[in-house]
């Protein structure tokens, strides 16, 4: 991705477009993942089975009870998020790498420098984009309401307004701590691993900078991101979906005490399916758009 020279504006626009396209294609998987992560284990109650079971089962339940379009809940906020977060985290990645190693550096950039660059850009980007992420999770978390019960939010703009009215402007940055941790780490896993895997594959005889290489690098990026980021992702989703937690540590301790360590890997399969497919679609689209530009 760094072979051609692009301005920050060009990289930002290409990245935002690719991220938005990937978001639209894969958000049903993300909605299923959020529902699975927010589903709490009933303590001392083995009679009631969980409502959502597995990726396909969760998607089928949502579509049956709330219509097929419910799988795209939060898509508007999701596109807002990807425009800002996707554009910034990728647009700033190359400039920050160059800043770390120096403009005159020649050769392959060390992996640890790539990781530091991605950590910094991920943290900065999600700090700006946190309100969009919060609204997206809140909308995705809403299931089917019983008759006579009013919905909490009536759309993306209403969600922004309601949160500010009820929780104050600072309420839009609820869950910022775990969100910074999660997105900085996941961004490092995605960008640094994509960069590294692509660099490694291109050194194998017979491989070139083509769709197959981008596919393998995208899958590798998604796998590393999910393995490393799942526990933080669960805490982030729960804090954003349930305001009953005092802080990040409280959410972590209560989840661990009530549901055990494996609760932090709830929704792992849909999360990997989501992030794996998201990374493949996003990086393939990004590489093609950049080539076209």
């Amino acid at each position: 991705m760094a072979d051609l020279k692009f301005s920050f504006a060009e990289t930002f626009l290409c990245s935002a477009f690719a991220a938005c396209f990937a978001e639209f294609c894969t958000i049903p998987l993300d909605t299923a993942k959020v529902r699975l992560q927010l589903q709490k284990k009933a303590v001392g109650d083995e009679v009631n089975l969980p409502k959502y079971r597995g990726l396909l089962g969760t998607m089928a339940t949502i579509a049956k009870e709330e219509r097929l379009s419910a799988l795209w809940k939060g898509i508007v906020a999701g596109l807002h998020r990807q425009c800002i977060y996707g554009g910034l985290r990728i647009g700033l990645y190359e400039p920050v790498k160059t800043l770390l190693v120096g403009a005159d550096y020649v050769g392959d950039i060390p992996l640890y420098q790539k990781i530091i660059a991605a950590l910094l850009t991920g943290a900065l980007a999600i700090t700006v984009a946190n309100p969009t992420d919060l609204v997206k999770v809140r909308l995705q978390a809403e299931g089917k309401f019983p008759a006579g019960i009013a919905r909490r939010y009536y759309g993306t703009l209403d969600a922004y307004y309601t949160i500010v009215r009820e929780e104050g402007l600072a309420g839009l940055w609820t869950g910022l701590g775990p969100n910074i941790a999660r997105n900085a780490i996941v961004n490092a896993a995605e960008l640094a691993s994509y960069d590294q895997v692509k660099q490694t594959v291109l050194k194998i005889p017979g491989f070139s900078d083509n769709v197959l290489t981008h596919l393998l690098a995208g899958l590798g990026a998604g796998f590393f991101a999910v393995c490393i980021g799942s526990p933080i992702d669960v805490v982030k989703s729960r804090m954003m979906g349930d305001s009953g937690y005092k802080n990040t540590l409280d959410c972590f301790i209560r989840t661990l005490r009530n549901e055990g360590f494996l609760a932090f890997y709830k929704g792992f399969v849909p999360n990997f399916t989501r992030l794996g497919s998201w990374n493949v679609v996003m990086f393939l689209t990004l590489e093609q758009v950049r080539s076209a530009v």
Side-chain angles (χ1 to χ4, degrees):
M1 289 182 359
D3 296 331
L4 300 175
K5 298 299 180 182
F6 292 88
S7 68
F8 170 75
E10 288 173 328
T11 304
F12 179 89
L13 291 174
C14 291
S15 304
F17 174 81
C20 285
F21 182 70
E23 184 76 7
F24 181 81
C25 292
T26 62
I27 198 170
L29 300 172
D30 193 46
T31 300
K33 178 208 74 174
V34 169
R35 295 288 181 91
L36 285 169
Q37 287 179 333
L38 293 178
Q39 181 170 256
K40 298 177 182 178
K41 181 179 179 182
V43 179
D45 185 1
E46 299 181 357
V47 176
N48 295 324
L49 295 175
K51 181 179 181 180
Y52 302 118
R53 299 175 66 86
L55 174 62
L56 295 180
T58 300
M59 293 176 67
T61 300
I62 294 171
K64 180 180 178 182
E65 294 186 352
E66 307 168 42
R67 295 185 303 179
L68 186 63
S69 60
L71 290 169
W72 274 266
K73 273 186 176 179
I75 183 60
V76 175
L79 295 178
H80 291 171
R81 177 186 187 273
Q82 292 303 340
C83 271
I84 301 171
Y85 175 67
L88 285 176
R89 75 182 181 108
I90 300 173
L92 291 172
Y93 179 60
E94 293 296 337
V96 171
K97 273 200 308 183
T98 302
L99 182 65
L100 290 174
V101 300
D104 299 327
Y105 185 86
V106 178
D108 293 336
I109 295 177
L111 177 59
Y112 78 91
Q113 295 280 31
K114 297 175 183 177
I115 293 174
I116 293 173
L119 284 170
L120 291 173
T121 59
L124 175 62
I126 200 58
T127 299
V128 177
N130 195 82
T132 63
D133 206 17
L134 175 69
V135 169
K136 175 189 167 187
V137 171
R138 292 276 180 95
L139 291 173
Q140 287 177 317
E142 287 194 326
K144 183 180 180 181
F145 284 78
I149 302 298
R151 300 190 66 82
R152 189 178 182 187
Y153 308 114
Y154 290 92
T156 304
L157 295 180
D158 179 66
Y160 285 117
Y161 174 74
T162 302
I163 291 170
V164 172
R165 188 186 67 221
E166 295 180 353
E167 305 172 40
L169 185 62
L172 289 172
W173 275 267
T174 297
L176 179 61
N179 216 11
I180 287 177
R182 184 258 181 191
N183 283 279
I185 292 171
V186 168
N187 193 52
E190 285 181 353
L191 294 188
S193 63
Y194 181 85
D195 211 351
Q196 192 69 25
V197 170
K198 181 181 174 183
Q199 177 182 303
T200 302
V201 170
L202 287 176
K203 292 180 179 179
I204 301 174
F207 281 88
S208 60
D209 193 357
N210 55 23
V211 172
L212 177 59
T213 300
H214 304 157
L215 175 66
L216 292 174
L219 283 173
F223 179 75
F224 284 116
V226 176
C227 288
I228 296 171
S230 271
I232 303 172
D233 193 39
V234 169
V235 172
K236 181 213 76 168
S237 292
R238 291 198 171 187
M239 284 195 68
M240 288 184 164
D242 183 353
S243 57
Y245 297 109
K246 297 178 183 178
N247 49 47
T248 304
L249 183 61
D250 177 57
C251 180
F252 180 87
I253 292 175
R254 284 168 60 181
T255 301
L256 180 63
R257 183 176 64 237
N258 295 333
E259 303 171 55
F261 179 75
L262 291 180
F264 294 111
Y265 283 88
K266 270 190 173 180
F268 181 86
V269 173
N271 203 7
F272 173 64
T273 305
R274 149 76 168 172
L275 267 184
S277 58
W278 191 95
N279 275 278
V280 168
V281 174
M282 196 281 290
F283 281 116
L284 282 176
T285 304
L286 178 61
E287 297 277 14
Q288 299 309 308
V289 171
R290 286 166 67 93
S291 296
V293 171

